[in-house]
Amino acid sequence: MKKNFSLTPVALLVGALAFLPTHSNAALPVQVDGQEMPSLAPMLEQATPAVVSITVAGTHEVKQGQDPFKFFFGKRRGQQPQERPFRGLGSGVIIDAKKGYVVTNNHVIDEADEILVNLKDGRQFEAKKIGSDAQSDIALLQIKAEDLKEIKIANSDDLRVGDFAVAIGSPFGLGQTVTSGIVSALGRSGLNIEQLEDFIQTDAAINSGNSGGALVNLRGELIGINTAILGPSGGNVGIGFAIPSSMMQNLIDQIIEHGEVRRGVLGITGNSINAELAKAMDLDINQGGFVSQVAPKSAAEEAGIKAGDIIIEVNGRKVRSFNELRGKIGSIGAGKTVELTLIRDGDKKEVEVTLKAAPDANIAAANLHPMLKGAKLSSNTKGSGVVVTDIAENSPAAAVGLTKGDIIAGVNRVRVDNLAALRDALVEIKGVVALNVIRGNTELYLMMR
């Protein structure tokens, strides 16, 4: 990356500007000492068409005050949760032009009933939510459009502190805006912004509305999805955070394949190594994830990991804390094999671990069809079909007739083996939808419009 960008012309530019006439008609030189002026414009001309702005609208439930008579009389008949409309703005990145896939943050489109994607060329399209993951704050949308421009995705594992970074997004609804800076830190975690954190920190200005936008390198390749800022009143103070592109790619691949994130787990609990713990345990290392307990029959136990081990690398990449370890493992899918480097009794060891599925692998069914709102679905691990793992009282899904434990086996006489197949089947249907449901030993059809 640095071979294509020299700092020398910048220093020359400063010297040249000092001797320019001060009146407004003075023209900047095209060259200084025979060298072209440095500019990000050629790169941005290629990258910015792949970055979009996102407008959302919807309603969300508002908690009501406590009813003093509820203790005596229970919930009054007809009492409904209060809903209030909301509108929001964010950004997104086109990662697949042919399929119209757009990546953004989950918090940008969460609970939205209407999602509009606005391209740099002025076109606007309604987007469909393919899937999302609240723990890592990633969501995948799809639009139907021609002549889209996709962004090339770089391997964020190759980043170093000090690498140049450029943030592209639509802050404050102003329209597409570009800011620049450097990678300030890697593997940031423990910020309590998301449940799974492994952030890139940058001083490229990120503000409200930038969420879901692109963090790119000087080649215009995606290195991260801009997600959060740290500053008073939501303003930029040079500390912004982005989800690494490699983490994003792992999660999106799972959503595309399965319709959900099938998160892999090690089955350990622990703490981050610090000076106090290192002294108490007489350790010669000050960074890593300390394993305090290994769950029975877990992936970690099967791989031979023991309490007292210190995990320092995942697939050859350093791990500085237990939170960073959790973030890296949490973005890798169930069934995938990872190589861990650990310290045991002062000796370095490498072990291969095949991650097991997280026990709560299910998604909100509203992502698939509005009439399924209120249900949670999971691919059937004991056979084919999709299991209704939970259903909310008085929800649209309950009104359709779905109950907890139902297995959706087909849609309009088309068999569905898993969540991905159910999603694909529902995308193609316009009008009445007939769900083929297995309930115990009974087969029935439920109609949705």
Side-chain angles (χ1 to χ4, degrees):
M1 179 162 58
K2 297 201 173 180
K3 292 180 180 178
N4 298 328
F5 187 84
S6 171
L7 293 178
T8 305
V10 177
L12 292 171
L13 170 62
V14 174
L17 289 176
F19 295 96
L20 283 176
T22 57
H23 59 80
S24 59
N25 293 328
L28 290 173
V30 177
Q31 292 186 339
V32 176
D33 288 350
Q35 299 186 45
E36 289 188 4
M37 297 276 285
S39 175
L40 298 178
M43 175 274 285
L44 291 171
E45 288 170 358
Q46 298 298 314
T48 52
V51 183
V52 304
S53 64
I54 297 175
T55 307
V56 301
T59 58
H60 57 77
E61 292 186 1
V62 178
K63 292 184 179 180
Q64 298 180 351
Q66 181 66 38
D67 184 351
F69 298 101
K70 184 177 179 181
F71 177 80
F72 298 101
F73 302 109
K75 186 176 180 179
R76 287 175 291 180
R77 183 176 296 178
Q79 184 181 10
Q80 297 293 332
Q82 184 178 358
E83 292 190 343
R84 291 185 179 176
F86 71 88
R87 300 186 67 85
L89 298 171
S91 305
V93 187
I94 300 172
I95 61 167
D96 190 320
K98 291 183 178 179
K99 295 184 178 179
Y101 286 150
V102 179
V103 172
T104 186
N105 287 138
N106 176 68
H107 76 260
V108 171
I109 51 84
D110 191 31
E111 297 186 339
D113 299 319
E114 180 184 66
I115 305 172
L116 297 177
V117 170
N118 307 282
L119 305 185
K120 186 185 178 184
D121 62 17
R123 290 183 293 165
Q124 184 181 79
F125 299 93
E126 187 172 351
K128 176 180 175 60
K129 181 179 176 181
I130 299 300
S132 63
D133 181 48
Q135 291 190 42
S136 60
D137 202 12
I138 281 291
L140 179 66
L141 309 177
Q142 187 174 34
I143 59 175
K144 293 184 178 180
E146 301 293 333
D147 300 322
L148 294 176
K149 174 72 174 181
E150 68 184 48
I151 201 163
K152 185 176 180 180
I153 301 175
N155 185 354
S156 57
D157 290 339
D158 295 333
L159 286 175
R160 298 177 298 172
V161 173
D163 285 345
F164 289 104
V166 177
I168 311 171
S170 302
F172 304 114
L174 293 173
Q176 193 173 89
T177 301
V178 177
T179 57
S180 65
I182 63 169
V183 173
S184 305
L186 295 167
R188 285 293 194 217
S189 60
L191 305 172
N192 296 320
I193 300 172
E194 310 297 346
Q195 290 178 284
L196 296 177
E197 299 179 343
D198 184 22
F199 290 122
I200 300 168
Q201 181 181 324
T202 180
D203 64 347
I206 297 174
N207 287 288
S208 297
N210 272 111
S211 291
L215 189 69
V216 304
N217 59 23
L218 292 187
R219 297 189 183 93
E221 300 166 336
L222 185 71
I223 59 175
I225 300 295
N226 300 325
T227 298
I229 54 178
L230 183 64
S233 303
N236 170 67
V237 292
I239 300 178
F241 301 101
I243 298 169
S245 59
S246 297
M247 180 177 180
M248 177 276 294
Q249 188 73 71
N250 286 337
L251 297 164
I252 293 302
D253 287 346
Q254 294 173 56
I255 291 174
I256 293 173
E257 182 178 357
H258 306 295
E260 62 176 339
V261 171
R262 294 186 174 179
R263 182 163 287 107
V265 293
L266 270 175
I268 62 172
T269 56
N271 306 91
S272 298
I273 295 292
N274 54 32
E276 185 179 3
L277 180 59
K279 182 178 180 181
M281 299 294 294
D282 193 24
L283 302 174
D284 293 328
I285 190 168
N286 293 310
Q287 289 185 327
F290 179 79
V291 180
S292 60
Q293 185 177 3
V294 178
K297 298 181 180 179
S298 65
E301 184 185 64
E302 292 178 1
I305 296 174
K306 299 179 180 179
D309 288 346
I310 304 167
I311 299 174
I312 59 172
E313 292 181 3
V314 176
N315 289 334
R317 302 292 174 177
K318 288 185 178 180
V319 171
R320 302 167 185 82
S321 67
F322 194 85
N323 282 331
E324 185 179 351
L325 170 65
R326 184 170 175 266
K328 289 184 183 298
I329 294 296
S331 67
I332 301 173
K336 297 293 181 66
T337 298
V338 297
E339 186 176 274
L340 302 179
T341 303
L342 53 86
I343 303 295
R344 179 183 297 167
D345 298 328
D347 297 325
K348 183 181 290 189
K349 294 176 62 69
E350 292 184 353
V351 296
E352 284 193 348
V353 185
T354 301
L355 302 179
K356 292 192 174 183
D360 59 345
N362 55 55
I363 65 168
N367 296 345
L368 305 178
H369 193 282
M371 290 304 296
L372 292 177
K373 185 177 182 180
K376 288 187 177 180
L377 306 177
S378 179
S379 294
N380 187 7
T381 58
K382 299 179 180 179
S384 63
V386 175
V387 180
V388 180
T389 59
D390 195 13
I391 194 157
E393 185 181 355
N394 299 324
S395 65
V400 167
L402 284 171
T403 63
K404 184 177 179 179
D406 283 351
I407 298 176
I408 301 173
V411 175
N412 287 14
R413 298 188 180 276
V414 176
R415 178 178 172 178
V416 294
D417 293 324
N418 50 41
L419 275 168
L422 176 61
R423 179 199 67 206
D424 294 341
L426 291 173
V427 166
E428 299 298 327
I429 296 174
K430 295 181 179 180
V432 177
V433 176
L435 295 179
N436 179 202
V437 173
I438 307 298
R439 182 176 297 165
N441 296 323
T442 305
E443 182 178 358
L444 62 148
Y445 282 87
L446 302 177
M447 302 299 172
M448 299 191 308
R449 295 183 183 275

